[in-house]
Amino acid sequence: MKKRLLRSALALVLLLAIVILAGCSGGKSGSKSDSKSGSKSGNQSDDKDPDVRIIPSETSRIEYEEYDNGYLRMEIPKGWTLETPKTNPFSGYTFKLYNPKDADYLIEFSLGLSGFLKTEAARQTYAALYPDSVYGQAAAIDPQTTEQFYKVWNTTAKIGNQMINQEFFVYLDEFEVIENLGKSAFGGDIIRGAFVNDDGEPMQGLFTATVVDVGSFYTYGVDVAPLNSYHNILMYAPDTEFVNWQAIYDHCLSTIEFTDAFMIGFNSEQSSQIAAVRANARIYDEISSMIMDSWAARSNSYDIISQKRSDATLGYERVYDIDTGDVYRAYVGFTDDYTGTRYRSITDDMYTSVISGYIEK
């Protein structure tokens, strides 16, 4: 009798367990359990992935404001300084835009520069005839290329600063070309270059200029006809930071517009090259697009080497978010400490990507 009662009790317990299990799973396809398992596909990370401390990068927090001085309108990063020299505001219009907290982040622009000769022989001839002339002092541009223009840039900057009695034009010490990225909208080249700042620290940037030969004029058998250079643009940042800032600079460049007041004053100036500014107020939007396309097509070998060297020096490793694709600099050892699946070590080709932020302990 006792055995029958025990078997009945066990059967009842088993039946109750079956009913409870059926009630939890049967007929409830919209339950949290099912919807969660259905949301995981491809590379998506686990919802329970551990939190990490991310500090957004400066470039990801950039806001723009409109600059307008009556001649020039453009969008610039909020808090940055746009400075113009005390010269004729029309022909050769020049400005530099920089971060006042760190002037190593900078764009310098000049609509036109003159005072160059084609050869050293021409420069020496002119200097002998007219010792005080800028044509005898400025470095010759030989050959007449964008690359050579920037190789002798420091002489141009020095003379320019002396002429306006102001330390305005920046210097490019130990300038070298990393890569020629092709032609600009005006025929000059777009160059990726490297140099060192006043403290000897490595810098990187993009440079363009269109050198124009206005013809020939012989004196004592030497062609002393001048050269001009138009649409001169320098944009640079510390070497391993430029990849993060290039798109910011390009956006600023794309918004350059000269006002009607500028155009009225400019009408008295003569230059077929600069006349394109009058014909197309958004010409620099076109130039910026060409620069961006050229930058996107660059070789990544320089970036990979320099970024790896920088990470090793500063104590970082790089990871990316598999859900968003964002790349982060993380403290060394992060991938050893991290127990989740959302952040993974980057591949070499991702060293060309903009840094979205920093992962800290």
Side-chain angles (χ1 to χ4, degrees), residues 9-82:
L10 289 172
L12 180 60
V13 170
L14 182 59
L15 178 61
L16 288 172
I18 292 172
V19 170
I20 291 170
L21 287 173
C24 290
S25 60
K28 293 190 177 180
S29 60
S31 69
K32 181 178 180 181
S33 174
D34 284 340
S35 62
K36 181 178 178 181
S37 63
S39 68
K40 296 301 170 190
S41 62
N43 282 335
Q44 283 187 313
S45 58
D46 193 330
D47 286 344
K48 294 182 180 179
D49 211 73
D51 291 334
V52 297
R53 185 183 178 209
I54 295 177
I55 307 299
S57 66
E58 185 176 356
T59 52
S60 69
R61 294 181 277 111
I62 286 289
E63 295 181 10
Y64 297 97
E65 59 186 2
E66 183 172 296
Y67 173 88
D68 187 341
N69 65 359
Y71 297 128
L72 170 75
R73 280 193 296 265
M74 66 184 297
E75 290 185 10
I76 68 174
K78 188 173 290 187
W80 282 38
T81 298
L82 194 148

Side-chain angles (χ1 to χ4, degrees), residues 191-206:
I191 288 173
R192 184 184 187 190
F195 63 101
V196 297
N197 65 9
D198 292 342
D199 298 321
E201 298 167 336
M203 306 287 290
Q204 182 189 165
L206 289 178

Side-chain angles (χ1 to χ4, degrees), residues 51-249:
D51 291 334
V52 297
R53 185 183 178 209
I54 295 177
I55 307 299
S57 66
E58 185 176 356
T59 52
S60 69
R61 294 181 277 111
I62 286 289
E63 295 181 10
Y64 297 97
E65 59 186 2
E66 183 172 296
Y67 173 88
D68 187 341
N69 65 359
Y71 297 128
L72 170 75
R73 280 193 296 265
M74 66 184 297
E75 290 185 10
I76 68 174
K78 188 173 290 187
W80 282 38
T81 298
L82 194 148
E83 182 180 346
T84 58
K86 300 163 186 165
T87 57
N88 181 352
F90 302 115
S91 178
Y93 189 91
T94 300
F95 70 80
K96 62 181 178 182
L97 170 66
Y98 60 93
N99 183 348
K101 296 179 181 178
D102 188 344
D104 280 342
Y105 298 84
L106 174 144
I107 300 173
E108 188 163 286
F109 170 97
S110 180
L111 198 54
L113 294 172
S114 60
F116 311 104
L117 292 173
K118 302 172 188 176
T119 63
E120 178 60 19
R123 189 200 67 77
Q124 290 181 8
T125 299
Y126 215 97
L129 294 171
Y130 309 102
D132 297 328
S133 171
V134 66
Y135 290 100
Q137 300 173 38
I141 304 176
D142 185 14
Q144 287 82 58
T145 63
T146 304
E147 179 175 339
Q148 186 62 25
F149 175 79
Y150 282 107
K151 283 185 175 179
V152 300
W153 170 263
N154 276 7
T155 302
T156 303
K158 180 180 178 180
I159 293 173
N161 289 336
Q162 289 173 347
M163 291 178 67
I164 64 176
N165 194 28
Q166 182 183 355
E167 284 299 310
F168 180 87
F169 292 99
V170 298
Y171 292 95
L172 309 173
D173 294 332
E174 300 177 28
F175 181 82
E176 61 178 341
V177 175
I178 299 172
E179 188 177 3
N180 189 318
L181 299 176
K183 296 294 183 182
S184 75
F186 292 102
D189 292 329
I190 300 169
I191 288 173
R192 184 184 187 190
F195 63 101
V196 297
N197 65 9
D198 292 342
D199 298 321
E201 298 167 336
M203 306 287 290
Q204 182 189 165
L206 289 178
F207 308 83
T208 187
T210 300
V211 180
V212 177
D213 183 346
V214 300
S216 296
F217 183 82
Y218 287 88
T219 299
Y220 299 106
V222 178
D223 185 359
V224 294
L227 297 170
N228 296 324
S229 179
Y230 299 109
H231 311 288
N232 312 293
I233 302 170
L234 305 74
M235 55 177 77
Y236 60 70
D239 184 56
T240 56
E241 286 295 317
F242 186 73
V243 66
N244 300 318
W245 285 91
Q246 193 278 326
I248 305 295
Y249 295 161

Side-chain angles (χ1 to χ4, degrees), residues 297-325:
R298 73 195 186 281
S299 169
N300 63 7
S301 58
Y302 180 90
D303 290 316
I304 292 171
I305 293 171
S306 63
Q307 298 288 341
K308 281 185 174 181
R309 184 187 300 119
S310 173
D311 285 359
T313 301
L314 298 175
Y316 288 111
E317 58 182 82
R318 287 191 202 197
V319 297
Y320 74 103
D321 183 334
I322 63 173
D323 287 353
T324 66

